[in-house]
Amino acid sequence: MEKRKLDIMISEIKIENLKCGGCAATIKKGLLSLNEVTDVQVEVENATVTITSENENLDLIKEKLSKLGYPEVGDKNTIAHKAKSFVSCAIGRIDS
């Protein structure tokens, strides 16, 4: 029987619009819904997200963050992103 070795990748992304624990809860839930992601840590004070994944697919992770309203620092942070982050923040507060 052949055993497959998984490549574990840890990536840190600095994001926009992160305000509170509600935002963090939404980010964790959203990123953990991706098959490759095994762990998510959110540092509200530093506006960073640390992702542990089986295979690094940063483009997919960054796209998911942007859709939730939390684009990477340096990417466009539009009014739509800010509005989405406001809504996801409120949802995160309710869910947590």
Side-chain angles (χ1 to χ4, degrees), residues 29-95:
K29 183 177 180 181
L31 292 181
L32 287 171
S33 72
L34 301 173
N35 288 334
E36 304 85 13
V37 176
T38 58
D39 188 46
V40 177
Q41 299 297 318
V42 181
E43 292 282 334
V44 176
E45 299 81 27
N46 302 324
T48 57
V49 180
T50 304
I51 303 103
T52 304
S53 59
E54 292 176 357
N55 296 305
E56 188 171 29
N57 189 347
L58 275 179
D59 291 337
L60 179 65
I61 291 167
K62 289 177 183 180
E63 181 181 328
K64 182 71 171 183
L65 283 167
S66 185
K67 285 182 180 178
L68 291 170
Y70 306 97
E72 182 178 23
V73 169
D75 285 353
K76 288 184 180 179
N77 188 17
T78 65
I79 297 287
H81 286 114
K82 292 174 184 176
K84 286 180 188 178
S85 74
F86 181 79
V87 171
S88 67
C89 174
I91 290 170
R93 286 181 185 193
I94 292 168
D95 287 347

